[in-house]
Amino acid sequence: MLRSLRLESELCLNVLPLNVHPKADHICILRSIESPEEHAVILFKDGDEHEIVEAYPVLSDFVIESNDPLSFCICFGPTSTRVEIAVHGEEDSVASFVEVLELAIEHAKKLSFTFESTYRHNWLRFYRRKRQQAHQKKTFFTAVKKGTTKIESLGGQPSTSNLSMHRDTFINSELLAHEPEFTTLIEQGVLVVTYNVNNKKPVDFLEYYPGIESFPLIMVGLQEVDLTASGLMSKETTAGEDWRQSLESELYRTHTVICCQQMAGLMIAAFARSDIRANVNDVFVDTVATGMLGVLANKGGVGVSMKFFDSRMLFINSHLAAGSSKLERRNTDFLSILSGICHDKKFGVYSKSRQPSLVDPIQNVTSLLSAYDHIFFFGDLNYRLQLNPAIALQYIAENNIPALVDADQLLSSGAMMKHFVEPPINFLPTYKFKPKTDEYTGIDAEKVRTASYCDRVMYHVNTDNFELFNVEAIEVSDYRSIMDVKISDHKPVFCAMNAKIKHYDDVKRANVYRAALRDLERKANNERPSIEVSEQEITFEDVIYSIPVKHDITLTNTGLVPAQVQFVPKPGDTTCLPPWLSVSPSISVILPGKSLTMTLTVCVTDPFESNRLNNEGFMSEIVILHLLNGKDFFITCNIKWEAKVFAQPIPTLCSGDWWGLRVSEVEKNTLISQLSISTEELSQLPPLRIPREIWLVCNNLQKHVNDPDIFSITASNENFRGIVDGLYYQSDVQSPVLLADYLMRVLSSFSDFIIVSQESMLLLKEVRTKSEVEKAMIKIIGSNQAQSNLFIYIISFFRHYLSFHRSNPSYSAIKRQLSLKIAFSIFKMKKENTAKTETFDSIEDEFILDLEVLTDCLMILI
C-alpha cells in the first residue's frame, strides 16, 4: 500500500537519496495531532513485513510543507545541512499507511531495533483514534506552499495552527498522553445481570448468584416487566415499582441504589456497595424506544452513565426485535440505541437539545465509543440459533455447546460484534422454557421456537485510554445462566468482571494540567502572528494638487508563523482608505523573519478637498493596518499642504496688482467681440485681471501653438513637479506637453470656476449659434467678474491656438477633443437642492449627457 509513497528524487537535493540508500527504498512521515512536538521520519524497505531501517525522531526544527494532504515536503535539520524530501501518495495509501507502519514497528521490535530513548510513539494511538475524522476533514497538515507567500489550511481547523481555538481538545489529549503519571489503576468487580421476566411478578433471584454482596457495582437489566397495553405506553408502571422494591430488598444490607429507570417493559437498576457509593458520581439516565414506528416502548434501550472513581462508564439494558427472521432489524435497533442515547455533556458527546435523528448515526456511535472507558450492552438481544428446532434440542441434550454457539446469529452476523466483545459462552441457551420448569419447549408446542441464546452481556473497552498502561482493562471471571430461576420462559444471565478503574492523584493531575496550559499558551504565542511596523506616524511634506507623494514603511515579521496584513475600514466606514491615499501592495503575506516594503501614496485631486487644504494647510487621517489573527496598527497620515495656484479661489488669485495682469491687444479685441462694447468703453474699464500663472503658462504655450498634439497627451507625474516650481519662479519651461497638462490641471482644480445648474443646462441645450452661446455663458457666469475674465481669456487663447490648425485634416477631431477637455476642466455641476458642487469625474451617469452638451457649446464658441 505504501508503494506510491516514494521519494521524488528531483526534489531530494541529494541529501538523503533513497534511490542509492544501501538498505531502505521508502520513506514515511507521521505527525501527531494532539502532540505536535512528536514527529518521526522513518525509512523502511518495502516487502511483506515492511522492515524499518532507520527512524529519526524530529525535534523543533521539523517542518511539513504541503498544499495537498496527499503530497508534502519534509524539512528538518540545521539550516546549513537542511534536509528537504518531497513525498507523494495515493489516497488509499495515505489513508492506510499507519497500519503498515505499525506492522513495521512490531517487526523492528522483534529484531531488537532501538528507537530513540526519549521518543514515544504515542502519535500512533492518536492517529488511529482520529484517523477517520481527520482524513474526512483534511486537517492533518498545515499547508505552507513553498515558493509563495500564500498561507492556506486544508479545510477545517489545523490543530497546530489553531490550538488556542481548541483549548479543551488539546488539554484533554495532553492529560491522556500523561495519564500514567497521575493515575493508579484499581481493580473493581462489576456484576451485570440480565433477565426477561415475561410479565411475571417479582421474585428474589439475585440470591441464586453466590457472593453477590461482594461486588462494588451491580447492574440489573430487566425486560418485559410490564406487557399490559397501558404499560407499553408508559415510562413507569406499578409492576416496575414492584420489581424495583424487590431488587432493593435483596441488596439493601450491602448495597445502595444509585438509580432505577424504567421505560415500559424495560428497567435498569444500578447498585453500588455502600462503602464505595461516594465514588460514583455524574449519574445520567436516558431511554431510546425502537418499537413499532420507532416510538413504541416495548423495544429499545435504557442507559445509565456514571463516573466510577475517575473512569467513565455506560451501561445499556436493551430489548431488540424478536423473531428468527428479524436479524437486520436487530442490527438496526442496536445502532439506533447506541446513536440515540444522549449523555451527560460532561462526557463530551451531545445533549438532549440535539436530536440524534437529525445527525449521522455512525458519527454518534463513534462519538459514544470514544467518550467512555467502559461500555456494557446487555439484555434480551433476541439473536437466534440458525438451526432446526429439533436439531437444537438434540445438541442441548448432548450438551454440545460449541455446535450451538456456531449457529448463533449474533456471533456470525451481529452488527455489535464490530464494536463489542462477548465472553465465551459455556452455558446452554436461555430461551425458550416451559413456564416454571427448566425444560425447553419442544417441537410439539403450539408455537414452535428454536432454543436460542437471547440473553447476552457484551462490553466495549476504549483501548486508546488504556494503551499506555499495557493492561487488560476488563477480565471476565464468570459468565453463566441460572437454570434454577423458573418464573419466566427465559433464564437470567450473570456476567462477573474485574474492571481496571482509573483513580487520579489530584495533585499530580493538576501539575500536568498546568503544564498543558503553559504548553498551550507557548504554542499559541508561537503561532500568533507578530509584526513590527517601522513608522506609525507619517508626514507627507510639500503636497500639492494632483501630484503624488510617496512614503515607504517597512513591515517585519517577528513571529514564527506567516503574517497576513491589509488595511481595513474604521468602525462605521465602508472604505479602508481615504480617496487621496493609496497603498501598494494592498494585501500581503510576510513569511517569518522576512520584511516587506509597503508604499503609501498621497495624491489629492478633489478640488473641494484641495480648497480646504488651501485654507487649513494641514490634514491628518488615521488608517488601520490589520494583522490577521493579530492586533491592529493605527497609522497616522499627516499632509502638509503647499499652497500653489491649484484650487485657490479665482478672485483671490486675481486680487492685488502683483497677481493681476492687463490683457493683451488680442484679448481686448476678444472682449470687444464677446461683450459687444466699444474700444472706448473698454479703455474706461478697470484692468481685467487673471491669475498670474495662467498667463505665464499661456504665454509659454504661444511658442508651441503649431503643435496639434500638445493637449492630447497627459504628462507624467515625475516631471510635473518641476513645471510647478519653474512657473512659480518664472523659469522657462521647454516641454509643451507639460505646459498644456499643467494648464488643464490648474483649471480643473478651481472649484468656483463656472457653476452649472440644471436650469443652466436646459438653457444650453437650446442654443444653436455662437451668439446664443456667448449670451448664455454671460448669463451663467453672472456678476462673477474674476471668473468672467478668466473664461474670456481661456476661450480667447484656445481660439488663437485652433486658428493655427484649421488646415489640418483632423481639425474637427482636434477641436472636439480640446472642447471636451476644457468642458471637463472648467465646468462644475451644482445638483438641485445640493450646496456642494462636483467635478464631472465624480457625477452620476445621468449627467454624462450634460457634459456632451457643454462640449458642443464650446465647439461653437471656440
Side-chain angles (χ1 to χ4, degrees):
M1 293 198 197
L2 284 174
R3 201 172 296 278
S4 61
L5 284 172
R6 296 186 182 278
L7 178 70
E8 295 179 354
S9 58
E10 66 273 14
L11 297 177
C12 180
L13 306 182
N14 296 321
V15 178
L16 196 62
L18 296 189
N19 54 331
V20 297
H21 195 282
K23 296 181 181 179
D25 57 9
H26 284 71
I27 183 170
C28 184
I29 166 66
L30 275 185
R31 182 181 194 177
S32 164
I33 290 179
E34 282 83 352
S35 298
E37 75 282 357
E38 293 188 358
H39 317 286
V41 173
I42 298 172
L43 307 183
F44 65 97
K45 189 171 184 62
D46 197 13
D48 293 337
E49 295 183 318
H50 305 284
E51 177 185 355
I52 286 183
V53 177
E54 295 179 63
Y56 300 94
V58 181
L59 305 178
S60 59
D61 57 2
F62 180 85
V63 176
I64 292 178
E65 297 181 351
S66 172
N67 63 347
D68 189 292
L70 308 182
S71 178
F72 42 89
C73 182
I74 308 161
C75 306
F76 60 98
T79 304
S80 58
T81 59
R82 190 160 182 77
V83 178
E84 296 189 23
I85 307 170
V87 180
H88 68 279
E90 297 173 357
E91 183 174 356
D92 58 345
S93 65
V94 174
S96 59
F97 72 159
V98 170
E99 285 82 356
V100 178
L101 182 60
E102 288 178 315
L103 292 175
I105 289 178
E106 290 301 319
H107 179 73
K109 290 179 179 178
K110 294 177 183 178
L111 298 177
S112 300
F113 183 89
T114 303
F115 290 97
E116 187 77 16
S117 60
T118 60
Y119 185 75
R120 303 194 306 274
H121 290 277
N122 291 338
W123 38 261
L124 284 178
R125 171 171 54 84
F126 289 128
Y127 183 88
R128 185 169 58 248
R129 178 157 55 89
K130 297 289 186 181
R131 182 188 59 208
Q132 181 178 6
Q133 179 180 358
H135 183 68
Q136 289 173 350
K137 294 184 178 181
K138 296 182 179 180
T139 60
F140 226 64
F141 302 105
T142 301
V144 180
K145 190 173 181 180
K146 194 170 184 180
T148 72
T149 58
K150 183 178 180 182
I151 296 301
E152 307 173 312
S153 61
L154 300 177
Q157 296 290 343
S159 59
T160 58
S161 296
N162 296 279
L163 289 172
S164 60
M165 299 176 64
H166 298 282
R167 176 180 178 275
D168 292 342
T169 300
F170 177 77
I171 291 178
N172 288 338
S173 67
E174 285 295 290
L175 289 174
L176 185 61
H178 296 275
E179 205 170 27
E181 299 174 18
F182 56 80
T183 302
T184 301
L185 295 183
I186 57 177
E187 194 171 273
Q188 295 289 314
V190 179
L191 180 64
V192 176
V193 183
T194 176
Y195 189 21
N196 185 324
V197 299
N198 196 26
N199 202 31
K200 298 300 190 291
K201 292 183 179 180
V203 297
D204 294 343
F205 72 95
L206 295 179
E207 62 186 16
Y208 285 87
Y209 193 83
I212 192 171
E213 66 281 352
S214 65
F215 285 91
L217 283 183
I218 300 176
M219 293 289 162
V220 182
L222 303 180
Q223 304 86 42
E224 297 187 2
V225 170
D226 191 340
L227 295 181
T228 63
S230 60
L232 293 178
M233 301 302 295
S234 304
K235 282 199 170 184
E236 296 182 0
T237 65
T238 302
E241 178 62 20
D242 293 342
W243 272 103
R244 184 187 68 80
Q245 292 180 8
S246 175
L247 295 173
E248 286 187 30
S249 66
E250 285 196 79
L251 297 172
Y252 81 95
R253 293 183 181 85
T254 55
H255 287 71
T256 302
V257 63
I258 299 172
C259 66
C260 186
Q261 180 70 34
Q262 181 185 0
M263 181 187 72
L266 277 167
M267 173 183 284
I268 189 169
F271 298 88
R273 202 172 62 204
S274 300
D275 61 317
I276 56 93
R277 173 62 184 87
N279 295 297
V280 178
N281 298 287
D282 298 337
V283 178
F284 189 81
V285 296
D286 192 32
T287 61
V288 177
T290 61
M292 187 178 297
L293 301 178
V295 296
L296 198 61
N298 63 317
K299 296 294 189 291
V302 183
V304 175
S305 62
M306 65 181 67
K307 187 171 76 169
F308 185 34
F309 287 90
D310 293 295
S311 283
R312 296 162 295 176
M313 309 180 78
L314 175 64
F315 299 85
I316 302 175
N317 172 35
S318 63
H319 194 185
L320 305 184
S324 179
S325 63
K326 298 293 181 63
L327 172 62
E328 290 305 318
R329 175 61 188 275
R330 285 188 280 275
N331 288 340
T332 301
D333 287 352
F334 163 73
L335 292 175
S336 297
I337 292 170
L338 281 186
S339 67
I341 286 287
C342 298
H343 324 277
D344 185 349
K345 60 185 178 181
K346 293 178 181 178
F347 290 169
V349 189
Y350 53 91
S351 64
K352 276 289 189 182
S353 61
R354 179 182 177 190
Q355 295 297 327
S357 60
L358 300 179
V359 295
D360 182 4
I362 301 301
Q363 180 181 344
N364 285 350
V365 172
T366 302
S367 298
L368 180 141
L369 296 178
S370 64
Y372 295 92
D373 295 309
H374 307 89
I375 300 177
F376 302 87
F377 194 94
F378 53 95
D380 182 0
L381 307 187
N382 260 321
Y383 286 94
R384 306 304 173 91
L385 297 180
Q386 299 283 52
L387 291 173
N388 180 280
I391 299 297
L393 291 175
Q394 178 184 339
Y395 287 157
I396 291 172
E398 297 171 354
N399 200 33
N400 190 350
I401 293 176
L404 293 167
V405 171
D406 286 344
D408 180 61
Q409 286 181 336
L410 173 60
L411 297 179
S412 61
S413 304
M416 62 187 67
M417 298 309 296
K418 299 177 182 178
H419 308 284
F420 286 79
V421 175
E422 183 183 23
I425 297 176
N426 293 309
F427 51 87
L428 293 174
T430 58
Y431 172 84
K432 177 178 184 176
F433 292 88
K434 296 177 181 179
K436 298 182 180 180
T437 72
D438 54 6
E439 297 179 13
Y440 293 93
T441 57
I443 58 175
D444 56 347
E446 181 179 352
K447 293 183 178 181
V448 179
R449 296 286 187 270
T450 302
S452 298
Y453 292 103
C454 290
D455 309 283
R456 316 287 276 269
V457 176
M458 312 189 73
Y459 63 89
H460 168 84
V461 174
N462 189 339
T463 55
D464 289 341
N465 291 357
F466 289 93
E467 186 170 1
L468 297 180
F469 296 95
N470 195 29
V471 296
E472 288 293 331
I474 287 182
E475 295 178 354
V476 178
S477 58
D478 189 25
Y479 188 37
R480 69 167 82 172
S481 66
I482 303 294
M483 302 296 287
D484 294 337
V485 183
K486 303 176 181 181
I487 65 169
S488 170
D489 56 354
H490 289 252
K491 299 298 181 182
V493 172
F494 292 74
C495 184
M497 294 164 278
N498 292 318
K500 301 299 188 298
I501 304 299
K502 297 176 181 179
H503 187 33
Y504 295 157
D505 183 317
D506 292 337
V507 174
K508 292 181 179 179
R509 186 175 186 274
N511 291 336
V512 173
Y513 184 89
R514 284 191 291 270
L517 281 178
R518 288 192 298 268
D519 192 30
L520 177 65
E521 182 64 23
R522 177 182 60 80
K523 293 176 184 296
N525 288 335
N526 289 342
E527 294 169 1
R528 185 179 294 120
S530 175
I531 65 170
E532 286 184 356
V533 181
S534 60
E535 297 176 75
Q536 295 191 49
E537 183 167 6
I538 304 168
T539 300
F540 296 87
E541 303 279 355
D542 301 328
V543 178
I544 63 175
Y545 179 82
S546 78
I547 299 182
V549 179
K550 298 182 178 182
H551 189 94
D552 292 340
I553 61 174
T554 302
L555 311 180
T556 303
N557 188 339
T558 57
L560 300 178
V561 295
Q564 177 176 308
V565 292
Q566 67 183 99
F567 284 91
V568 297
K570 291 185 288 188
D573 288 353
T574 57
T575 56
C576 303
L577 302 171
W580 45 265
L581 180 64
S582 61
V583 175
S584 178
S586 59
I587 180 171
S588 298
V589 174
I590 312 171
L591 296 179
K594 303 297 183 180
S595 296
L596 169 75
T597 298
M598 181 174 285
T599 302
L600 287 79
T601 303
V602 165
C603 186
V604 181
T605 57
D606 184 348
F608 304 99
E609 196 74 65
S610 302
N611 192 33
R612 182 169 71 87
L613 282 165
N614 284 332
N615 296 327
E616 300 175 4
F618 181 85
M619 182 168 60
S620 183
E621 184 81 20
I622 295 177
V623 292
I624 301 175
L625 180 64
H626 175 65
L627 174 61
L628 186 64
N629 296 324
K631 68 177 185 177
D632 291 335
F633 295 85
F634 298 88
I635 298 179
T636 302
C637 296
N638 301 319
I639 290 180
K640 286 188 176 180
W641 186 255
E642 184 177 356
K644 298 288 187 181
V645 68
F646 300 103
Q648 296 284 357
I650 295 175
T652 302
L653 294 176
C654 295
S655 65
D657 291 338
W658 191 74
W659 281 103
L661 294 172
R662 291 183 181 273
V663 297
S664 66
E665 291 299 321
V666 174
E667 292 144 4
K668 285 182 182 180
N669 294 332
T670 302
L671 290 174
I672 293 172
S673 171
Q674 294 188 352
L675 299 179
S676 301
I677 61 176
S678 65
T679 305
E680 183 179 353
E681 290 173 321
L682 179 62
S683 64
Q684 296 175 1
L685 294 174
L688 300 180
R689 300 179 184 279
I690 60 171
R692 166 181 170 272
E693 294 194 9
I694 296 293
W695 181 85
L696 284 173
V697 72
C698 290
N699 190 53
N700 274 276
L701 282 172
Q702 292 286 349
K703 306 170 187 177
H704 308 283
V705 291
N706 290 318
D707 188 345
D709 299 321
I710 57 176
F711 286 100
S712 62
I713 303 173
T714 301
S716 64
N717 289 317
E718 289 75 11
N719 300 322
F720 194 73
R721 180 71 191 224
I723 191 175
V724 173
D725 294 334
L727 285 171
Y728 187 81
Y729 296 106
Q730 300 188 31
S731 301
D732 187 22
V733 179
Q734 300 297 326
S735 172
V737 172
L738 284 174
L739 288 168
D741 190 48
Y742 174 83
L743 176 61
M744 290 305 180
R745 292 201 197 195
V746 172
L747 294 177
S748 67
S749 73
F750 295 145
S751 61
D752 61 341
F753 197 169
I754 301 178
I755 310 301
V756 182
S757 66
Q758 291 284 47
E759 182 181 356
S760 302
M761 287 307 308
L762 294 175
L763 176 61
L764 291 174
K765 287 180 181 179
E766 302 299 326
V767 298
R768 295 292 182 271
T769 67
K770 182 177 179 180
S771 175
E772 290 174 344
V773 173
E774 290 175 349
K775 291 179 181 179
M777 294 307 302
I778 291 172
K779 184 176 180 180
I780 292 171
I781 296 174
S783 61
N784 299 320
Q785 189 64 52
Q787 285 87 334
S788 176
N789 293 347
L790 179 59
F791 178 71
I792 293 172
Y793 182 82
I794 290 300
I795 295 301
S796 299
F797 171 77
F798 284 117
R799 279 179 178 173
H800 179 66
Y801 169 75
L802 287 172
S803 68
F804 289 88
H805 305 288
R806 287 193 176 95
S807 61
N808 191 316
S810 302
Y811 174 73
S812 295
I814 296 171
K815 184 177 181 181
R816 182 159 192 85
Q817 184 183 28
L818 183 58
S819 299
L820 177 62
K821 209 161 189 178
I822 297 169
F824 194 84
S825 299
I826 70 176
F827 291 107
K828 306 295 181 292
M829 178 66 68
K830 180 179 180 181
K831 292 186 178 181
E832 297 298 330
N833 301 321
T834 304
K836 181 180 177 180
T837 59
E838 299 186 6
T839 54
F840 278 103
D841 58 348
S842 64
I843 63 177
E844 299 175 359
D845 291 343
E846 60 180 337
F847 297 117
I848 292 177
L849 178 61
D850 299 338
L851 182 59
E852 294 178 356
V853 170
L854 293 170
T855 302
D856 291 340
C857 290
L858 288 174
M859 286 279 290
I860 297 172
L861 192 60
I862 64 175

